[in-house]
Every structure is written in C-alpha cells, then in structure tokens.
Amino acid sequence: MSGKTPSPARRAAQAVDALRHGWPLSFIDGPVLLPIETAIARGAGSAHLLISAARAATLKLANQRDAAVPHAPVLIRGAEPFDMSAAVPIADPALDLGNPFKGPFRADPLEWRETALAAMELARIAGILPAFMVDPQYAGEAHSLHASDLEAYTEARALRIVTRAKLPVTASEDAEIVAFRSVSDTREHVALIIGDQCGDTQPLVRVHSECLTGDILGSLKCDCGPQLDSALGAMAEHSQKTGGWGALLYLRQEGRGIGLINKLRAYRLQDDGFDTVDANQRLGLPDEARDFPVAARMLELLGAREIRLMTNNPAKVTALETAGITVSERVQHQLPDNPYNARYLATKRDRSGHLLK
C-alpha cells in the first residue's frame, strides 16, 4: 500500500539491495555508511572508515594484531580525510601492493558497535567487501534503517516449497527436484530427491553449498564437484539396495556464504600464498558464513527430521542438530586430493576441524 511504513525485514532487504547498488545506509541513531566497493558517489570523502579487524591488522594497528575475531568491525582514522582513491585499496586486499597506504592510521573508539556489526553482516549478505566510509560528504540520498532490522530480516526468511517436478539425472532416472523460496531472500534453493520418500524414515542426505567453479567448471582447487557427483551416486545406490531415499540439498551460498566475487578474491590471495582461512580473514570476511538453519528448514518441509548425513565436517552436524534435525549417523564423505587442492583440504582438516574418516 502506498505510504505504508516498511517492515523491519523489508527495510533490511532493501538495505542489501542498496549496498549492491552503491547507495549509502543511514542508521537511525547512528551514522551514514557508504559501501566503498560499490559506491556510485565517487567524489565522496570521509574522516573515518569502518573496516574489519583483519584489515586493521594489515594497516599495522598494534591494538588490532591480536584481535580474536578477525572480521569484527574497527573504526579507523587517517592523517588526512579519505577520498575514494585512498579508501578503495584499504577495502580491497588485492590492491595492497600496488597502492601503498598513506598513513599513519589509528583505531578510534567505536560507540555504535551493534550498528557496525549489522553493517558488516549486510555487506556479507550483499556479497561485497565489508568496508564503509563513515558519515561521508557528498554520498547522496541514503536508505534509512535500524540496526535491529537485520534480526527481523533473518527471522523472516521462512522458506516454502514453490514447485516440484520429476528430473531424471545421470545418477538416477528416479529423481525429483524440489524448489524452495523465501519472501525476503532472492536466493532460491533446491533439493534433489532420489528414490521413494516413503521407503524409509532416515534418508541419506548431503548438504551441498553452491560452487560454480567446482560444480560447473570442473575446478581442481576444491573437491566440490567430485563430492557432488559422489553424493548422488551414493544416494542412487542406497535407493537401489534398500528401497530408501536420498536428498541432495543444493544451497545457494557460494564461497561458504561470502559470495562468488569474494570467493574469487580469496582465490587471488591464495595465489599469493595465503591459505583459504587467512584469505577470507584478509578480506575481512568469516571463513564460515553458511546458513545451515535454511537446510534444516528444507529438511523439515521434506518431512525428514531424522537423517544420515554425508559429511566430514562435525560443525555441520552440530548446526543441523541445533536447528532441530536429528543426525542419526555421520556418513564419511571424503575423496582423494590432487596437486591443486591438497593444501585446501589440509587447511579444512587442520584449521576447520574436518575429519579424515
């Protein structure tokens, strides 16, 4: 209805769209924040930037070197106000070497931490670098919202099944695809069901997050494509031998939740010697940002509240169980490495807690 005040969830959804378009956000009782990466106001300037602790450590701020949360927000001030030419290299670690920083910099007290945390998370959802000009000049008209709108947005992302259809696939001709949609999230997740859902009460499940480079292009830098194929094959075999069924949940959360562009930025940093965890942190992003409650909701809608889960990641088991799904068995799901992904798999084992068996 025209003139009606938007709901908190809608304001947050509109804020994500604003960030993608490079428009500033105006937080009620807080600052105006302009996303540095996408800003259309290229003539904007500011005395302060909001960046992550990991990026602050790159700037040699001593009080941030031991930051326990590398993607926590930090407010920095330079010797001179920041224009876009100075702000962009600070936001993007890929530009560090070609654009020497014009310091010195210092970290100032952050009196609006909840607002800053909300802004950083909105940037992650939007798939852009979490770096902002604070109360910039010449930023243009801003989108208004409350920091608390983010919580309402998260709670409002209730999925529903919108359609389903038979989809014979290479692994099994007896397959069905089920599409899910949320009113406040543009991502559309799907589940591929193999076998008869009436066959048993504990389906074999694989929760698989989208990986364009691995699933579609055959990248050797990860094991996503082979994991996807192997999971479908295991479900088909399970269905044939037991009469049961399997479900591949394909979640649209590229790069462990940081988005395709940021994942490729992390790849570039890996080319420079950083492992996958350090690369994400250098971008100011978490190394794990996937939304597993979405997977739990998909399983509930499919009538699968107790499952056998194909994974080597104990954290995935914990996340699903916390969201109300019973994992009766963790089924090993590991494939051989290759010269291009050996370090990546070792990092998942040594730094992210993945199991070998």
Side-chain angles (χ1 to χ4, degrees), residues 121 138 147 228 318 337:
E121 179 63 7
Y138 315 117
L228 177 62
T318 301
D337 61 13

Side-chain angles (χ1 to χ4, degrees), residues 206-289:
R206 170 69 183 168
V207 177
H208 189 92
S209 295
E210 177 183 32
C211 178
L212 173 69
T213 50
D215 299 341
I216 305 301
L217 302 179
S219 169
L220 297 176
K221 287 178 66 71
C222 64
D223 57 346
C224 299
Q227 279 192 333
L228 177 62
D229 294 339
S230 175
L232 292 175
M235 290 173 194
E237 182 180 3
H238 168 69
S239 175
Q240 292 169 358
K241 288 184 175 180
T242 69
W245 61 290
L248 176 86
L249 306 188
Y250 198 84
L251 306 183
R252 304 296 302 278
Q253 43 187 10
E254 180 78 58
R256 289 178 168 259
I258 66 172
L260 176 62
I261 299 300
N262 284 330
K263 183 181 85 167
L264 298 183
R265 286 187 170 114
Y267 277 3
R268 178 170 175 173
L269 291 172
Q270 290 169 33
D271 291 341
D272 292 333
F274 296 95
D275 68 26
T276 183
V277 173
D278 288 336
N280 280 32
Q281 292 181 354
R282 193 170 176 84
L283 287 166
L285 293 162
D287 59 280
E288 176 58 90

Side-chain angles (χ1 to χ4, degrees), residues 315-336:
K316 191 179 290 186
V317 175
T318 301
L320 288 180
E321 290 187 327
T322 299
I325 300 298
T326 299
V327 179
S328 62
E329 180 186 358
R330 183 189 67 81
V331 180
Q332 181 183 0
H333 190 52
Q334 183 179 8
L335 298 168

